[in-house]
Amino acid sequence: MLREDNSVFSTHPPETEMKIVHTIEELHAAVRDLKNITLVPTMGNLHDGHISLMRLAKQQGGAVVASVFVNRLQFGPNEDFDTYPRTFQADADKLEKAGVDVMFAPSEKDMYPVPQEYRVTPPDSLANILEGYFRPGFFNGVATVVMKLFCAVRPDNAIFGKKDYQQLMIIRRMVEQFALPIKIIAAEIHRGENGLAMSSRNGYLSKEELAEAPNLYKTLKVAVDKVRAGNKDIDALEKEAMDTLKARGWKPDYVTICRQYNLQKPTAEELAKGEPLVILVAATIGSTRLIDNIEI
């Protein structure tokens, strides 16, 4: 369209400025009039993988709320809560550029004004295996903070990345069993050209470790290709992958091939029928522990 002076102007309203809120009361006010809200929970220190989640959230066609909160409840006593990178301004800049409508960045006091004595406890069969075995109580902390975010934001949709596969399964089950009116959207793993999954922990890697890190994915890919070619001896494939990683200097916690929906071992009959599987790995290179997975 043209102005009276024949200059062109847009019929679309300008992008609104992202709101940054810190308290739950401010959050309630900020989202009160928003429609079709998609929540993307994060712990900050954002990278391209996180921004790909924001882009997926924008595709849902409504408002996008991103939370940035380092959740003490999911850190063990010997884990890196105090040293976990806090990059508030950089995170805010990236979220605004990605078109996020509301950034919820509470302090610990804002999020937990009183001790969080009520907790969400996922079933042992799903939460105390794999990551939960090596990080006791981890998923109690995750489920509790996500439930609190769901109650505070009241989103229509929520996005979780497939890189944290066990977390995704636990959140899906929690939403089902509590009959929450929230659609859980799974985002594909965002990888570099070398196959390395994007992770905040990649920043801890030395130059040499960063060069080695893509072999975590490559080792999984070898096993996946063999399963797809008809190899059903998953125990042997797991051992082969573990041995490969150890030979390359990794300290693997687990490599497991299991059902997608409940992360339990498939039966021979399920393998024969083509049960949807996933291969998951957790391994440490140097002092940095990385996780990855591939759906089969």
Side-chain angles (χ1 to χ4, degrees):
M1 295 181 66
L2 298 178
R3 300 177 186 272
E4 290 183 0
D5 60 0
N6 290 332
S7 62
V8 177
F9 70 93
S10 172
T11 58
H12 300 290
E15 291 281 339
T16 56
E17 184 178 351
M18 181 179 73
K19 293 181 181 178
I20 300 176
V21 297
H22 300 283
T23 69
I24 290 179
E25 290 73 22
E26 291 173 340
L27 174 65
H28 286 166
V31 302
R32 184 174 296 125
D33 298 323
L34 299 182
K35 305 297 183 184
N36 191 25
I37 297 172
T38 298
L39 169 66
V40 187
T42 83
M43 291 208 303
N45 193 26
L46 303 181
H47 50 67
D48 288 346
H50 292 110
I51 301 309
S52 72
L53 304 184
M54 307 304 161
R55 288 196 292 268
L56 181 58
K58 292 289 288 183
Q59 291 171 17
Q60 307 313 306
V64 178
V65 177
S67 63
V68 174
F69 178 63
V70 183
N71 178 38
R72 184 186 293 272
L73 297 187
Q74 68 194 66
F75 284 78
N78 298 316
E79 294 185 328
D80 56 349
F81 175 79
D82 290 327
T83 60
Y84 192 89
R86 275 80 165 172
T87 54
F88 173 80
Q89 191 56 57
D91 292 344
D93 292 343
K94 290 175 182 177
L95 292 177
E96 184 159 37
K97 187 176 180 181
V100 169
D101 297 281
V102 178
M103 175 184 181
F104 178 44
S107 68
E108 200 164 7
K109 188 67 174 176
D110 292 322
M111 197 65 177
Y112 302 122
V114 297
Q116 190 69 34
E117 296 171 337
Y118 285 78
R119 305 288 181 98
V120 178
T121 303
D124 290 348
S125 61
L126 190 56
N128 288 351
I129 61 173
L130 304 175
E131 287 301 286
Y133 177 82
F134 288 95
R135 304 176 68 184
F138 173 70
F139 288 114
N140 288 25
V142 169
T144 298
V145 76
V146 170
M147 180 64 87
K148 193 157 189 175
L149 287 169
F150 284 170
C151 292
V153 178
R154 288 164 285 189
D156 300 278
N157 316 295
I159 293 180
F160 293 85
K162 286 186 179 181
K163 187 176 77 68
D164 297 295
Y165 203 87
Q166 189 173 3
Q167 171 180 278
L168 171 63
M169 296 301 109
I170 287 171
I171 298 303
R172 275 182 172 166
R173 193 77 59 84
M174 181 180 80
V175 166
E176 290 171 359
Q177 294 203 3
F178 282 103
L180 301 178
I182 301 170
K183 179 182 177 182
I184 301 299
I185 300 170
E188 297 297 330
I189 297 174
H190 193 72
R191 300 184 183 278
E193 292 182 2
N194 57 10
L196 178 62
M198 296 288 181
S199 170
S200 298
R201 296 184 187 274
N202 293 351
Y204 297 153
L205 298 170
S206 68
K207 182 178 179 181
E208 293 76 16
E209 292 162 355
L210 193 58
E212 170 59 28
N215 286 301
L216 191 65
Y217 172 71
K218 292 175 183 177
T219 300
L220 292 189
K221 189 70 168 56
V222 169
V224 167
D225 289 344
K226 291 182 178 181
V227 172
R228 289 173 176 166
N231 189 332
K232 304 301 183 185
D233 190 348
I234 60 175
D235 291 338
L237 291 174
E238 290 170 353
K239 183 179 184 304
E240 180 182 339
M242 290 277 282
D243 290 344
T244 297
L245 290 171
K246 289 176 183 176
R248 299 194 65 90
W250 293 79
K251 297 177 182 177
D253 286 335
Y254 59 81
V255 176
T256 186
I257 300 172
C258 51
R259 303 186 195 107
Q260 289 183 15
Y261 77 94
N262 67 358
L263 307 185
Q264 300 297 314
K265 287 293 183 184
T267 65
E269 183 179 5
E270 287 171 332
L271 287 172
K273 290 183 177 180
E275 173 73 26
L277 305 174
V278 61
I279 182 170
L280 303 105
V281 63
T284 299
I285 186 72
S287 60
T288 304
R289 187 175 184 273
L290 301 178
I291 62 174
D292 204 346
N293 67 80
I294 303 175
E295 291 181 322
I296 307 173

